[in-house]
Amino acid sequence: MWANLTINEESSPIILKLVIRFIYFALFFKSYLMTENLVIVESPAKAKTIEKFLGKDYTVVSSFGHIRDLSKNKLGIEIEKGFKPVYEIPADKQKVVSELKKLAAGAKNVWIASDEDREGEAIAWHLIAVLGLDASTTKRIVFHEITKEAIAKAIETPRAVNMDLVNAQQARRLLDRIVGFEISPVLWKKVQPALSAGRVQSVAVRLIVDREREIIGFAPESAFRVTGLFNGLNNKSEEVILKAECTKKFSNENEALKLLERCAKASFAIENISVKPGTRSPAPPFTTSTLQQEAYRKLGFSVAQTMSVAQKLYEAGRITYMRTDSTNLSSLALNTAREVITADYGTEYSKTRQFKTHAKGAQEAHEAIRPTYFDKKSITGNNNEKKLYELIWKRAIASQMAEAKTEKTTITIGMNPAAEVFTAVGEVIRFDGFLRVYSESYDNVAEDDEKTLLPAVAKGMSLDAVNITATQRYTTPPPRYTEASLVKKLEELGIGRPSTYAPIISTIQARGYVAREDRPGEKRILMVLTLTGSKITKSEKTEVAGKEKAKLFPKDIGIIVNDFLTANFPDILDYNFTAGVEKEFDEIAGGDLEWGKMLSDFYSPFHKSVDESLARKERMTGNRELGNDPATGLPVFVKMSKYGPVVQLGEASPGNKPRFANLRRDQLLETITLEEALVLFSLPRSLGDYQGSEMIVSSGKFGPYVRHNSKFFSLKRGVDDPYSITAERAIELIVEKLEGEKKKVINDFGEIQVLNGRYGPYITMDKNNFRIPKGTDPATLTKEECLKIIEKGGQKKKSAKPAKKK
DNA sequence: CAGTGAGCGAGCTTCCGCTTGACTT
């Protein structure tokens, strides 16, 4: 859009200024006078592309998504007037709207080309209303792919706005507003201020809380897994080595020992060899959700990071739209993919196919995510952009390639006298097909599950056991969600949309309901029995269990809110609630249900439970009594205080303030024990003297610290623990920080200092920092030179601090 | 830069889905 041209007039010479003004003027007139046809789409990048296809008679502009919404701070629904919505133009949309109004007034025809889904139809309807267009002459057009043919076809077949679809959107919007704006205030009263609830976020939190409880309740069981290493001579007299696993697992050490004893006296031979051909098919091209999952697994991107990199690629014209639930590819894409595959890999590698979209509630307004031009294997850009682009390219290309042909071989080794059998499974790829380009990653793949090529052996061949090992294995609880696996689960449940997956993840963290955390895990001892020759030895092995990296953990406030909501609003917290209302939205869209009726049927029972939950007196604090402190005999409680989860020693009474201590990050009100709680009262504690002053370790506003000589030294997160830190380690921290501070000072002129900072050397005076010009050696700067730099830098606007949220 | 933790009451918080820039260090 011309208004988005950013040329800095101030810094240009006068002649250039005039030229720039002329260009603005010309563009202004082009839009006003010469526009036969004004086409409005949702995204500015899309507008740019389409304008190229449509030629000079068309001006294509963007609405930047929705232009009107329910009022920001009030409910915005007149419930007693049959759920009449009160729409407003948000402050940040005023400018777009007034520009669109001007353009529309000067155009002969207005074409509205918002997406062909519920939201897009509503955008079209709002545009007609807000821009004051004539609904009977405004042309509503749609296309699912941005190709010349699709756009030309759309222009030939305009239609009117589909009011049923608009009403389905209004029902969705109002339902979400009612749920969010009626339940959230209940939480402010019953739990804590500034909390929130909603159809989507509350279920997302529930998934994480429910999963955590499964993990808490999980009792690991152990079994013994027996593997053998065999050797023998094949019919070419070559020595072969074969690793095989016993098909049976043994529930205890004694049973495993019994098998090993039998193995010691047994002989082994190959009982059977089975070879089965198989195929593997490529995954569909990316949707938003699968892109987020794979970018997380293969590139380690967070969900938000994936979206911001993808946005860059989209704006640069490298990929198609990145917020989509469709696996569809345009016929143009199918053809160019085929050409690239045939040219690069040969005809036998090409297999053109279209994938069906399985996602629940998919609206398929766009194509799948794919490269705009398949012949571009890589692009210029920063590293992340390159990596994500290549991932998208490979996935889309692979989706149009032939299946891989595999051969799975299973060798069965029998014992004589017969007891158990061992099997070795190997897989070879006979034709790589799409695997030549791309193989999909999966969550939670067992590390020793890899299948390899097996040696050439024949049925009946006798084998010797080099060794046979029985290793204790523990069952593992269901995995905690990562950002990406949560998105996958939400999509399966039909909850949330491609444009909201990333915001959902950030909302539930911003509210403090869940947090992305690591856990070091705990060492666990495994029993190992080994048979070598005829001797059985017993040994131990350790493994780390429960180690977590960047997983979503529920926090106490999330658990309390979740329990309150599931108790008071079970229907809305039901995993199938969205699926149910989506069905009704579909009925509204099909003209089979009146949207006002749907809302009123929902509202009466819902509003009743809002009133009932408010009427109950008690507040939710997660209060739990753990027992009595053996030292003082006082009762020990845990609960959610105004500032977070605490343990409390003794009851509060007039004149007696009980002791409080914060829970640690990795503790929950629900699971903390009396012993663990009592440890929390051991802070602040003395670590003895260092250089004649006492070291006191405690935990403050910014986490645990050591205080020495009235200076503070933070403990290292994930390394040090205030309850167990030793004096030696504390001294290390003190020395390290003091030395670092020494290095930080390059030159000290009193009120002016030259310092080494995170972003390199800088000058500081009166708490204001100034950048040192490139090419200047900071060590040689004199006080006068520093003053000059400060004077120059002082002219720049003092940067306003970002608004602080408390 | 290194606590708070009760209760009262003013005034504030909040939803989901479409879209991009703002904004720093």
Side-chain angles (χ1 to χ4, degrees):
Chain A
M1 212 157 74
W2 56 267
N4 280 346
L5 277 176
T6 49
I7 302 169
N8 189 355
E9 275 202 52
E10 283 168 44
S11 60
S12 319
I14 290 176
I15 300 206
L16 198 59
K17 271 189 199 172
L18 289 174
V19 172
I20 292 167
R21 293 222 172 122
F22 178 76
I23 292 171
Y24 272 133
F25 196 68
L27 286 168
F28 184 83
F29 263 84
K30 182 196 172 237
S31 325
Y32 266 80
L33 302 178
M34 295 169 64
T35 300
E36 282 278 298
N37 296 287
L38 180 71
V39 182
I40 305 174
V41 297
E42 290 181 39
S43 145
K46 196 170 171 181
K48 219 167 70 185
T49 322
I50 291 171
E51 193 152 52
K52 272 188 271 175
F53 289 131
L54 281 173
K56 63 174 172 45
D57 294 338
Y58 291 81
T59 300
V60 187
V61 294
S62 150
S63 76
F64 294 81
H66 275 293
I67 52 147
R68 203 166 69 156
D69 192 15
L70 298 176
S71 83
K72 196 164 166 282
N73 297 316
K74 286 178 292 186
L75 182 65
I77 302 168
E78 294 177 359
I79 289 175
E80 63 292 350
K81 288 191 190 163
F83 298 91
K84 191 174 162 238
V86 183
Y87 290 115
E88 285 177 359
I89 297 163
D92 59 335
K93 291 289 161 124
Q94 300 279 7
K95 209 177 142 200
V96 196
V97 167
S98 66
E99 274 163 21
L100 288 175
K101 264 188 193 164
K102 282 184 216 156
L103 290 168
K108 236 185 208 171
N109 298 307
V110 178
W111 305 74
I112 300 183
S114 47
D115 298 343
E116 187 180 32
D117 58 17
R118 213 158 59 197
E119 299 297 327
E121 204 66 15
I123 289 175
W125 177 70
H126 282 300
L127 278 169
I128 289 174
V130 171
L131 305 183
L133 303 174
D134 181 348
S136 63
T137 58
T138 302
K139 297 176 166 68
R140 168 79 173 117
I141 55 169
V142 293
F143 34 81
H144 301 139
E145 47 185 67
I146 305 177
T147 57
K148 200 168 181 171
E149 295 72 31
I151 293 163
K153 204 175 156 206
I155 292 282
E156 281 165 27
T157 53
R159 60 169 172 82
V161 166
N162 176 347
M163 272 322 286
D164 289 332
L165 200 51
V166 173
N167 290 338
Q169 192 274 347
Q170 298 199 86
R172 199 279 306 156
R173 180 70 191 91
L174 270 59
L175 179 105
D176 283 338
R177 173 52 70 93
I178 290 167
V179 169
F181 274 43
E182 290 212 5
I183 299 183
S184 298
V186 179
L187 293 177
W188 306 341
K189 276 207 147 147
K190 296 292 168 189
V191 187
Q192 247 178 38
L195 295 175
S196 65
R199 171 177 61 83
V200 172
Q201 58 168 281
S202 297
V203 177
V205 173
R206 181 180 190 175
L207 283 165
I208 293 162
V209 173
D210 280 359
R211 176 58 54 86
E212 195 67 20
R213 290 204 167 122
E214 280 179 63
I215 295 168
I216 291 167
F218 184 82
E221 284 172 12
S222 83
F224 284 78
R225 184 177 148 180
V226 180
T227 58
L229 193 66
F230 301 92
N231 71 357
L233 290 178
N234 68 9
N235 40 22
K236 286 183 202 152
S237 297
E238 297 161 338
E239 193 190 331
V240 295
I241 290 186
L242 203 55
K243 200 179 165 186
E245 186 178 337
C246 183
T247 51
K248 196 179 151 188
K249 301 231 179 332
F250 302 88
S251 53
N252 59 49
E253 191 187 326
N254 202 21
E255 278 183 42
L257 184 66
K258 264 194 243 160
L259 175 70
L260 294 201
E261 282 166 354
R262 295 175 81 168
C263 284
K265 292 180 195 133
S267 63
F268 297 88
I270 290 179
E271 212 171 78
N272 191 31
I273 302 171
S274 92
V275 180
K276 276 187 193 150
T279 56
R280 264 192 261 168
S281 301
F286 283 132
T287 60
T288 304
S289 142
T290 54
L291 177 69
Q292 290 171 345
Q293 291 161 44
E294 278 285 272
Y296 172 81
R297 289 186 290 234
K298 285 204 154 93
L299 308 177
F301 288 5
S302 72
V303 162
Q305 193 183 3
T306 299
M307 292 316 282
S308 102
V309 177
Q311 177 85 29
K312 287 262 159 48
L313 293 172
Y314 168 66
E315 284 169 8
R318 304 295 194 189
I319 60 168
T320 55
Y321 197 56
M322 65 284 155
R323 291 186 272 265
T324 176
D325 52 19
S326 172
T327 53
N328 241 40
L329 293 175
S330 70
S331 50
L332 178 79
L334 294 177
N335 289 335
T336 53
R338 188 189 307 121
E339 282 164 24
V340 169
I341 294 164
T342 313
D344 287 6
Y345 308 106
T347 334
E348 70 275 23
Y349 278 90
S350 166
K351 183 174 175 182
T352 302
R353 39 170 118 57
Q354 197 66 266
F355 292 83
K356 243 190 129 111
T357 302
H358 292 293
K360 213 185 253 181
Q363 310 221 353
E364 302 203 69
H366 305 275
E367 270 190 81
I369 304 169
R370 63 160 174 95
T372 324
Y373 306 106
F374 278 104
D375 52 355
K376 278 210 157 47
K377 264 185 205 162
S378 57
I379 54 151
T380 52
N382 70 30
N383 250 343
N384 285 347
E385 288 164 21
K386 280 183 187 166
K387 283 194 280 187
L388 193 69
Y389 178 82
E390 274 165 39
L391 191 66
I392 292 167
W393 184 89
K394 285 179 179 171
R395 174 88 165 214
I397 278 284
S399 81
Q400 297 307 311
M401 290 178 74
E403 283 94 7
K405 293 199 173 79
T406 61
E407 202 175 84
K408 190 172 153 187
T409 306
T410 307
I411 298 174
T412 309
I413 299 167
M415 285 170 69
N416 186 21
E420 300 295 337
V421 292
F422 290 75
T423 58
V425 180
E427 190 173 44
V428 287
I429 289 164
R430 291 288 174 218
F431 173 64
D432 55 0
F434 77 94
L435 289 175
R436 184 133 171 210
V437 187
Y438 184 88
S439 113
E440 193 183 4
S441 303
Y442 298 93
D443 296 324
N444 312 307
V445 184
E447 68 274 22
D448 46 15
D449 230 21
E450 86 258 29
K451 297 178 182 108
T452 44
L453 186 61
L454 294 175
V457 292
K459 198 170 163 176
M461 189 179 135
S462 67
L463 294 166
D464 291 322
V466 180
N467 62 57
I468 292 178
T469 310
T471 311
Q472 190 177 21
R473 283 299 176 96
Y474 282 93
T475 51
T476 51
R480 290 192 175 84
Y481 287 105
T482 63
E483 288 189 359
S485 69
L486 182 64
V487 167
K488 182 180 179 183
K489 184 70 189 176
L490 289 172
E491 188 191 37
E492 278 168 17
L493 293 169
I495 297 172
R497 302 281 311 133
S499 67
T500 61
Y501 295 137
I504 292 163
I505 303 278
S506 84
T507 300
I508 60 178
Q509 293 182 69
R511 299 271 174 275
Y513 294 152
V514 308
R516 227 175 69 164
E517 288 178 7
D518 303 338
R519 290 286 188 276
E522 274 175 17
K523 273 196 182 147
R524 177 158 75 182
I525 290 168
L526 302 177
M527 209 64 85
V528 182
L529 302 173
T530 311
L531 166 72
T532 321
S534 58
K535 215 176 115 207
I536 297 173
T537 51
K538 193 168 151 180
S539 58
E540 284 178 353
K541 217 164 99 176
T542 57
E543 70 172 1
V544 175
K547 185 172 153 62
E548 296 281 30
K549 185 111 186 97
K551 293 289 171 60
L552 296 173
F553 287 80
K555 305 309 287 178
D556 286 307
I557 194 66
I559 295 176
I560 290 171
V561 166
N562 178 68
D563 290 355
F564 178 79
L565 294 176
T566 46
N568 289 280
F569 303 96
D571 297 348
I572 286 162
L573 270 282
D574 190 303
Y575 289 135
N576 292 315
F577 177 74
T578 290
V581 289
E582 277 293 341
K583 224 179 189 173
E584 297 188 75
F585 297 147
D586 285 346
E587 284 173 36
I588 296 169
D592 299 323
L593 177 61
E594 203 264 306
W595 70 288
K597 181 179 177 343
M598 187 235 158
L599 285 176
S600 70
D601 286 353
F602 164 77
Y603 189 74
S604 1
F606 169 75
H607 188 70
K608 206 175 138 213
S609 28
V610 170
D611 284 343
E612 283 169 3
S613 64
L614 278 172
R616 275 179 218 131
K617 246 197 134 185
E618 77 285 4
R619 284 171 57 94
M620 302 286 286
T621 60
N623 195 343
R624 200 159 71 86
E625 191 172 343
L626 303 185
N628 291 304
D629 172 26
T632 60
L634 292 169
V636 178
F637 305 93
V638 287
K639 65 174 188 189
M640 180 58 74
S641 80
K642 206 167 153 188
Y643 304 108
V646 291
V647 51
Q648 177 182 339
L649 182 64
E651 308 257 18
S653 60
N656 173 46
K657 190 178 174 293
R659 270 196 84 188
F660 291 95
N662 294 326
L663 262 62
R664 296 179 352 193
R665 261 160 56 91
D666 59 357
Q667 292 173 323
L668 289 177
L669 295 175
E670 188 166 328
T671 51
I672 189 170
T673 63
L674 178 62
E675 291 68 35
E676 289 164 345
L678 290 171
V679 171
L680 299 175
F681 288 116
S682 64
L683 296 183
R685 112 193 134 87
S686 172
L687 292 178
D689 282 8
Y690 171 59
Q691 296 185 337
S693 319
E694 199 182 15
M695 298 181 287
I696 307 254
V697 57
S698 189
S699 195
K701 198 172 168 185
F702 309 105
Y705 63 88
V706 177
R707 200 175 70 218
H708 179 251
N709 266 338
S710 59
K711 274 192 139 182
F712 293 89
F713 304 88
S714 290
L715 303 200
K716 294 241 159 74
R717 199 154 126 184
V719 180
D720 299 310
D721 171 47
Y723 303 96
S724 62
I725 191 169
T726 60
E728 289 77 47
R729 175 64 183 150
I731 293 167
E732 246 177 71
L733 288 171
I734 292 170
V735 171
E736 192 184 318
K737 188 174 172 193
L738 292 178
E739 297 218 321
E741 274 176 4
K742 253 188 237 160
K743 272 188 211 152
K744 199 184 152 191
V745 182
I746 300 172
N747 241 328
D748 193 342
F749 303 114
E751 78 253 64
I752 298 172
Q753 288 178 312
V754 185
L755 302 176
N756 247 324
R758 260 206 301 170
Y759 309 104
Y762 65 99
I763 299 168
T764 184
M765 183 175 85
D766 286 345
K767 289 187 177 172
N768 284 324
N769 299 339
F770 303 88
R771 193 179 290 167
I772 294 172
K774 263 188 191 160
T776 322
D777 180 2
T780 64
L781 277 173
T782 62
K783 190 175 176 182
E784 287 66 37
E785 286 169 328
C786 286
L787 269 171
K788 258 187 211 164
I789 293 170
I790 289 169
E791 242 170 72
K792 255 196 195 166
Q795 293 170 354
K796 72 171 180 201
K797 271 187 296 182
K798 214 180 156 191
S799 59
K801 275 206 170 159
K804 249 194 193 167
K805 264 206 161 178
K806 64 163 202 166

